[in-house]
Amino acid sequence: MHSPIHSLKLTALTLLLSIAGLAATPMPKLMLLTGQSNKYHDWTKSAPLVKSYLEQTGLFTVDVVTSPPAGADMTKFSPKFSDYAAIVIVYEGDEWPAATKAAFVTYMKNGGGLVSIHDTDNAFPYWKEWNEMIAVGGWGFKADGNIGARDVTAGPMIRWRDGKMVLDEITPGTATHPARHDFPIVTRAPEHPIMQGLPASWIHASDEIYSQLRGPAKNVTVLATALADKTTHPTATGENEPMLMTITYGKGRIFHTTLGHVSPNEKPPFTSLACAGFITTLQRGTEWAATGNVTQKIPADFPTAEKISVRNQ
Ligand SMILES: [Zn+2]
């Protein structure tokens, strides 16, 4: 039988070992994959902000993987996806090598995480598995160099009508968006871990309402929509367009945010990226993609149904 003092020592030792064990548990690692944009966007402005937003959660470490520049030799571009809890992508550019695409598909099927931000869903219009992962995407370059690869052959558009998601297979047209403006975003899946505690509606600052995105639209949950309002923007679709989505692909989890425009000629502050709503949904969506859960609190400065909330950058 142990003496009381001996037992106390054992307890203290166990406690110390437990604390050491906790401290030694590494935070999940995220890969931020970036390095190319089309002429309408600038990853050198958006990716550093995305990195800092993800690090601000205190939940992750973030490694940035930068691809070769547009037109350069891509044959050796082969990031080690399997080292990461999720891959956050700010990239629209050259095709990856076939082996890299295959490795990414395997990583996702085996339970990986993917976060697609804004113009990232313009990438890879003819990569079948990519289109399944993002559910719907925009524009995309055709073989002849013209934009608009995601036409009616790419699949339906996601609409929100009469309180539910509808796939529109009939309406023609490729992706579009009204001019940048502040607009309300409406929660459509309040029970989803990413959305729990967010307001039913909130105003997002100065962004493009991505509209008429097309794709396979399978295994997708629409988390939030925005009305592309014809009464204020005559060329808008007049539809509730999906802004935030989750998709499952094999055992993998995808968070797709269409928000986060920044132009090449834009000077700071980059308002759409500074919106506390963009930041919060990105942080929560990334945690969900990486772990399947969301542990973060809703910040006090989250936008309301009446006004935007933009943070200092
Ligand atoms: Zn844009």
Side-chain angles (χ1 to χ4, degrees), residues 27-33 47 50-57 60-65 84 88:
M27 288 194 285
K29 283 168 53 171
L30 303 176
M31 179 195 297
L32 173 55
L33 193 163
V50 167
K51 179 173 190 279
S52 83
Y53 297 153
L54 298 175
E55 289 173 338
Q56 282 165 19
T57 64
F60 313 109
T61 58
V62 183
D63 292 343
V64 178
V65 169
Y84 294 88
V88 180

Side-chain angles (χ1 to χ4, degrees), residues 152-165:
V152 71
T153 63
M157 300 184 268
I158 293 176
R159 302 309 199 191
W160 192 275
R161 294 173 183 158
D162 302 323
K164 63 178 194 300
M165 186 180 88

Side-chain angles (χ1 to χ4, degrees), residues 40-41 118-119 177 207-208 210 260-262:
Y40 304 105
H41 300 99
H118 193 60
D119 52 310
H177 63 77
D207 213 334
E208 300 169 332
Y210 266 14
H261 175 84
V262 58

Side-chain angles (χ1 to χ4, degrees), residues 139-297:
W139 299 272
F141 287 96
K142 297 189 276 194
D144 64 6
N146 289 317
I147 209 160
R150 286 188 174 89
D151 59 15
V152 71
T153 63
M157 300 184 268
I158 293 176
R159 302 309 199 191
W160 192 275
R161 294 173 183 158
D162 302 323
K164 63 178 194 300
M165 186 180 88
V166 177
L167 298 183
D168 182 343
E169 315 254 5
I170 297 163
T171 307
T174 55
T176 181
H177 63 77
R180 289 178 76 166
H181 63 292
D182 300 346
F183 56 85
I185 290 184
V186 179
T187 297
R188 301 299 188 180
E191 74 290 350
H192 192 283
I194 296 170
M195 306 304 285
Q196 278 177 18
L198 296 185
S201 173
W202 51 279
I203 311 283
H204 177 47
S206 185
D207 213 334
E208 300 169 332
I209 300 181
Y210 266 14
S211 304
Q212 303 198 141
L213 304 185
R214 289 183 176 280
K218 288 181 183 149
N219 306 314
V220 56
T221 301
V222 175
L223 303 182
T225 61
L227 175 63
D229 193 346
K230 269 182 182 305
T231 62
T232 52
H233 295 80
T235 62
T237 61
E239 297 276 355
N240 294 302
E241 301 285 353
M243 297 289 101
L244 306 175
M245 294 165 262
T246 57
I247 303 101
T248 53
Y249 179 79
K251 293 179 188 162
R253 285 180 300 268
I254 296 98
F255 174 64
H256 180 168
T257 176
T258 64
L259 310 176
H261 175 84
V262 58
S263 299
N265 59 1
E266 198 168 336
K267 302 274 186 292
F270 306 125
T271 313
S272 63
L273 288 158
C275 166
F278 170 81
I279 296 167
T280 302
T281 51
L282 173 72
Q283 290 170 328
R284 295 174 68 85
T286 302
E287 185 181 6
W288 180 82
T291 69
N293 296 307
V294 178
T295 59
Q296 300 166 65
K297 302 258 189 303

